[in-house]
């Protein structure tokens, strides 16, 4: 079983990337489980044709921890991909990080964490211990950073490297950085910039995903690109990404950059 | 960090104050364990001091669900439960976890009508200890006071509700004030009702239990203009000074009271004359011997020697002439004098 986690700045396209990876893997004949680890609960929506599935936390709240079964929290979407949403509190109250921890405990107890590939799609930033849960021992061993060439997005990715580094330093920590996914914003030299960033943190650019209006069209039709436009170049880019991830053997302990280094890097590309 | 015997949980400190308001209910916004542990601790300590007190605590019973989704509803429910008991006031104390998840306790409590509600932030993880909880609670409870013209009385501030000699110390201070013809209007806070707190602003002088409460004394002085003495009296000489300081603050004479107390002290010194010249050893934590100890060494010509008889030094230090007298009785027993 391969377990991967996608992290990156809020709004960078983690869910779009995750659902398309999951869809592409399922088309390859693999059994896939995607777990949305964000209280916004919209990670798996495109796999579920626009449906916001009941979340683990909602179910626990309504029916109690002991009363729920796998059927209550695991829903099958496009290509047989099994979808789970952790859920969490309304914005502004409670502790969403604790919600992620509790979700993992429930999924463990239900024996739901099994598949050829488990894809964890995690909230924008590792704001507390709870959101690092998918990186802990026994869960995702490979983290993929989703970033564009924008400085703020690189900054968030760099920050997540600190969490990976911290967790990989533990004696039983198995979490490593699998690579950097460039989800492009169509900036000049963006691929080169993100590839250089990946190299500088001691990793590699695993796939460049161009910006394409087909992504929006697919989402308006409540589908992944893999399902909506399987013959498109964009779908091919996602399939390549999925294959690269499956075949990836390179796992690194990243070296996060200092903020000044990061700025210099971005500046070099803008100045060019 | 090794645990210290002098500090502890902020919540426990605050509860040692609020639980002494007899017609109030204290809501502990936290897991049941925080309420239960403190209930047991306070109950056991009071029981040790020969008082059967069942503190009036109510827990908001936070569990994992409330931590994830927010505990404000649980607090509302607990407040409704507290209101049903028609208390004189509700004190809301926050546990560590309620503070960590950022429940807006103030906002929830401001919705309550029909009963005064006082919020006392008491999450211990913020770095405070037991005495910070005591100070916060005293300052928060002073919100229930009205102002008022000084009426010549005294308020005792921050009696140590959990100390063995709390009542004996109170009686000693009351006796001393009685020598001056001064009355204690309010014990803030020990075995009182909510309504009594209203009078806090009208005493002419506040007497703090000990110097660690000067922050509280300052706040009360700012708010009500009441001057304060920083501590209950300690030592023979300290007790005489205390009488003069109270008299000065209240603008009354102290000569008679001081001479009457001096006579009493002389009697006590005579009564313990068997202690004179004995070789002793006293263990006092903190290095420097307290002033009242030096005074006694001199008065009784006691010789401090490494191999002298070990004598117990009470903690907290004895209050007033009677406190010294009780300590000397214990010394006398130990020395078989």
């Amino acid at each position: 079983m391969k377990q991967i986690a996608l992290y990156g700045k809020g709004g960078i396209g983690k869910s779009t990337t995750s659902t398309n990876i999951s869809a592409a893997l399922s088309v390859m004949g693999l059994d896939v489980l995607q777990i949305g680890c964000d209280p916004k609960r919209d990670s798996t929506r495109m796999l579920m044709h626009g449906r916001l599935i009941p979340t683990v936390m909602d179910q626990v709240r309504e029916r109690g921890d002991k009363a729920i079964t796998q059927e209550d929290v695991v829903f099958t979407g496009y290509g047989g991909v099994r979808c789970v949403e952790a859920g969490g509190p309304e914005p502004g109250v409670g502790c969403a990080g604790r919600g992620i921890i509790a979700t993992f405990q429930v999924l463990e107890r239900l024996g739901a964490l099994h598949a050829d590939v488990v894809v964890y799609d995690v909230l924008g930033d590792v704001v507390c211990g709870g959101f690092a849960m998918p990186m802990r021992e026994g869960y995702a061993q490979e983290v993929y950073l989703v970033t564009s060439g924008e400085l703020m997005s690189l900054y968030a990715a760099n920050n997540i490297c600190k969490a990976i580094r911290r967790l990989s330093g533990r004696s039983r920590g198995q979490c490593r950085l699998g690579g950097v996914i460039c989800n492009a914003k169509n900036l000049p030299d963006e691929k080169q910039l993100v590839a250089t960033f990946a190299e500088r943190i001691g990793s590699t650019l695993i796939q460049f995903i161009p910006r394409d209006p087909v992504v929006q069209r697919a989402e308006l039709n409540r589908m992944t690109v893999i399902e909506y436009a399987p013959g498109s170049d964009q779908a091919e880019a996602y399939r390549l990404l999925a294959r690269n991830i499956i075949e990836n053997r390179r796992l690194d302990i990243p070296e996060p950059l200092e903020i000044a280094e990061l700025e210099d890097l971005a500046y070099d590309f803008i100045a060019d | 960090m090794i645990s210290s015997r002098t500090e502890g949980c902020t919540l426990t400190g605050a509860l040692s104050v609020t639980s002494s308001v007899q017609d109030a209910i204290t809501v502990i916004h936290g897991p049941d364990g925080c309420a239960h542990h403190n209930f047991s601790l306070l109950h056991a300590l009071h029981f040790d001091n020969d008082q059967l007190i069942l503190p009036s605590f109510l827990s908001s019973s936070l569990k994992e669900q409330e931590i994830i989704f927010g505990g404000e509803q649980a607090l509302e429910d607990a407040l409704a439960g507290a209101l049903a008991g028609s208390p004189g006031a509700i004190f809301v104390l926050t546990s560590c976890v309620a503070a960590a998840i950022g429940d807006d306790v103030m906002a929830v409590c401001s919705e309550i009508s029909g009963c005064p509600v006082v919020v006392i932030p008491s999450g211990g993880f913020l770095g405070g200890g037991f005495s910070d909880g005591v100070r916060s609670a005293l300052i928060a409870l002073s919100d229930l006071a009205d102002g008022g013209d000084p009426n010549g009385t005294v308020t005792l501030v921050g009696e140590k509700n959990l100390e063995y000699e709390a009542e004996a110390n109170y009686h000693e201070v009351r006796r001393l004030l009685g020598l001056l013809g001064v009355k204690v209007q309010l014990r803030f806070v020990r075995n009182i009702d909510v309504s009594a707190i209203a009078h806090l602003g009208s005493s002419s002088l506040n007497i703090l239990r000990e110097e660690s409460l000067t922050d509280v004394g300052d706040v009360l002085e700012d708010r009500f203009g009441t001057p304060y003495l920083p501590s209950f009296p300690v030592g023979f000489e300290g007790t005489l000074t205390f009488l003069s300081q109270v008299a000065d603050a209240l603008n009354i004479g102290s000569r008679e009271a001081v001479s009457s107390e001096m006579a009493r002290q002389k009697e006590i010194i005579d009564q313990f004359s068997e202690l004179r010249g004995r070789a002793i050893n006293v263990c006092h934590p903190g290095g420097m011997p307290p002033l009242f100890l030096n005074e006694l060494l001199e008065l009784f010509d006691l010789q401090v020697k490494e191999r002298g008889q070990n004598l117990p030094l009470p903690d907290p230090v004895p209050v007033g002439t009677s406190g010294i007298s009780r300590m000397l009785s214990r010394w006398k027993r130990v020395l078989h004098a």
Side-chain angles (χ1 to χ4, degrees), chain A:
Chain A
M1 183 167 79
K2 190 176 180 88
Q3 300 193 73
I4 66 167
L6 274 75
Y7 281 87
K9 177 180 169 290
I12 198 64
K14 291 181 298 299
S15 296
T16 304
T17 310
S18 304
T19 47
N20 278 291
I21 291 172
S22 292
L25 291 171
S26 76
V27 172
M28 288 162 68
L30 293 166
D31 174 31
V32 184
L33 173 67
Q34 178 163 328
I35 301 174
C37 303
D38 185 331
K40 287 200 302 296
R41 64 185 292 196
D42 59 350
S43 165
T44 59
R45 210 171 137 242
M46 294 305 129
L47 290 165
M48 296 301 305
H49 297 136
R51 178 180 171 206
L52 284 171
I53 58 174
T55 70
V56 176
M57 282 296 97
D58 281 349
Q59 296 286 5
V60 169
R61 181 147 71 156
E62 283 163 24
R63 309 162 63 161
D65 186 3
K66 302 285 178 283
I68 57 176
T69 61
Q70 277 205 47
E71 289 70 47
D72 298 322
V73 294
V74 183
F75 298 85
T76 305
Y78 169 76
V81 175
R82 287 173 295 124
C83 301
V84 173
E85 291 285 350
E90 293 292 310
V93 291
C95 179
R98 184 67 217 172
I100 302 297
I101 296 169
T103 295
F104 274 64
Q105 286 167 350
V106 169
L107 294 175
E108 288 274 11
R109 190 174 57 72
L110 295 177
L113 291 172
H114 60 84
D116 295 330
V117 186
V118 182
V119 179
Y120 301 95
D121 174 17
V122 194
L123 177 86
D125 225 330
V126 196
V127 287
C128 72
F131 290 99
M133 193 71 191
M135 296 186 203
R136 290 196 200 165
E137 189 201 348
Y139 304 116
Q141 285 137 25
E142 298 175 31
V143 171
Y144 291 91
L145 297 173
V146 185
T147 181
S148 70
E150 288 176 322
L151 182 61
M152 281 305 108
S153 175
L154 292 169
Y155 182 72
N158 191 55
N159 248 341
I160 295 156
C161 289
K162 294 180 187 168
I164 302 169
R165 192 168 177 79
R166 171 189 296 275
L167 287 160
S168 64
R170 293 184 179 162
S171 57
R172 298 201 295 180
Q174 294 173 330
C175 173
R176 298 288 184 271
L177 178 58
V180 178
I181 300 164
C182 177
N183 197 31
K185 294 265 183 190
N186 278 359
L187 304 173
D189 296 328
E190 193 170 14
K191 184 176 179 180
Q192 197 51 42
L193 168 57
V194 176
T196 309
F197 167 75
E199 197 181 307
R200 293 277 289 277
I201 58 171
S203 180
T204 182
L205 177 69
I206 193 148
Q207 184 66 44
F208 177 79
I209 308 284
R211 189 179 176 85
D212 192 316
V214 75
V215 174
Q216 264 204 315
R217 282 207 300 279
E219 290 191 350
L220 286 171
N221 285 282
R222 299 173 171 180
M223 283 182 241
T224 59
V225 176
I226 297 289
E227 182 182 10
Y228 175 74
S232 63
D233 289 348
Q234 194 72 5
E236 186 55 24
Y238 286 127
R239 280 191 292 268
L240 269 175
L241 171 58
R243 198 168 308 125
N244 287 345
I245 287 173
I246 285 299
E247 290 169 3
N248 183 31
R249 297 288 173 270
R250 179 175 169 178
L251 299 175
D252 301 296
I253 295 174
E255 289 283 350
L257 303 179
E258 295 298 324
I259 177 78
E261 292 178 86
L262 198 58
E263 281 173 348
D264 287 348
L265 175 66
Y267 187 81
D268 284 348
F269 278 83
I270 294 164
D272 287 351

Side-chain angles (χ1 to χ4, degrees), chain B residues 81-101:
Chain B
L83 276 171
S86 307
I90 301 173
F91 304 131
V92 180
L93 277 59
T94 48
S95 66
C96 291
V97 72
I101 65 170

Side-chain angles (χ1 to χ4, degrees), chain B residues 15-305:
Chain B
L15 287 169
S16 76
V17 174
T18 63
S19 62
S20 211
V21 183
Q22 291 158 332
D23 58 341
I25 291 182
T26 299
V27 170
I28 300 169
H29 186 34
D32 284 340
C34 289
H36 176 79
H37 166 78
N38 280 292
F39 180 96
S40 303
L41 182 76
L42 295 186
H43 173 255
L45 283 168
H46 287 310
F47 199 71
D48 257 6
N49 299 347
D50 305 323
Q51 297 181 72
L52 182 61
I53 294 173
L54 302 175
S56 197
F57 296 165
L58 210 150
S59 164
S60 64
S61 301
L62 293 184
K63 298 193 174 57
E64 188 168 46
Q65 289 298 296
E66 285 75 32
I67 302 315
I68 295 168
F69 292 103
E72 293 175 10
Q73 183 61 49
L75 176 58
E76 277 180 39
D77 296 345
L79 288 169
L83 276 171
S86 307
I90 301 173
F91 304 131
V92 180
L93 277 59
T94 48
S95 66
C96 291
V97 72
I101 65 170
D103 275 351
D104 194 345
V105 173
M106 287 288 184
V108 172
C109 291
S110 65
E111 300 293 319
I112 302 295
S113 56
C115 173
V117 180
V118 178
V119 176
I120 306 167
S122 38
F125 76 103
L126 297 168
F130 180 92
S131 35
D132 296 279
V134 170
R135 284 191 286 267
S136 306
L138 290 171
I139 290 170
L141 263 56
S142 71
D143 285 346
L144 297 172
D146 306 322
D149 292 332
N151 58 13
T153 64
V154 157
T155 289
L156 306 182
V157 177
E159 285 181 78
K160 289 172 173 288
N161 288 326
L162 306 183
E163 75 175 334
Y164 179 67
E165 297 197 322
E167 280 309 295
N169 292 339
Y170 162 65
H171 285 295
E172 173 64 353
V173 172
R174 198 173 69 159
R175 180 186 71 78
L176 292 166
L177 295 172
L179 296 177
L180 295 161
V182 173
K183 283 206 165 81
V184 175
Q185 170 169 251
L186 171 65
R187 301 173 76 183
F188 183 71
V189 173
R190 184 168 172 82
N191 302 342
I192 54 168
D193 283 344
V194 172
S195 59
I197 301 175
H199 305 300
L200 177 61
S202 60
S203 280
S204 298
L205 178 68
N206 290 329
I207 300 175
L208 313 185
R209 171 62 184 89
E210 61 179 15
E211 287 188 12
S212 68
L213 295 170
T214 47
D215 286 354
V216 181
D218 288 337
V219 168
L220 299 180
E221 186 161 22
D222 282 350
R223 201 171 288 174
F224 307 111
T226 318
Y228 66 86
L229 290 187
S231 165
F232 278 13
V234 178
F236 284 146
E237 190 62 41
T239 300
L240 302 178
T241 309
F242 174 80
L243 286 169
S244 315
Q245 286 173 331
V246 173
D248 288 349
L250 298 176
N251 219 5
I252 55 176
S254 66
R255 193 144 26 114
E256 269 184 42
V258 170
S259 56
S260 139
E261 190 62 10
M262 276 176 82
R264 184 178 146 84
Q265 291 179 353
K266 187 167 178 318
E267 273 174 34
I268 289 168
I269 294 163
D270 291 345
Q271 192 188 331
F272 289 100
S273 59
E274 302 96 318
L275 301 178
R276 208 167 281 282
R278 301 292 289 259
I280 65 157
N281 196 359
V282 181
C283 175
H284 42 83
M288 283 290 287
L291 283 177
F292 80 90
L293 181 62
N294 284 337
E295 182 184 70
L296 293 175
L297 297 180
E298 222 166 273
L299 273 171
F300 290 98
D301 193 24
L302 296 165
Q303 312 295 312
V304 177
K305 302 213 162 123

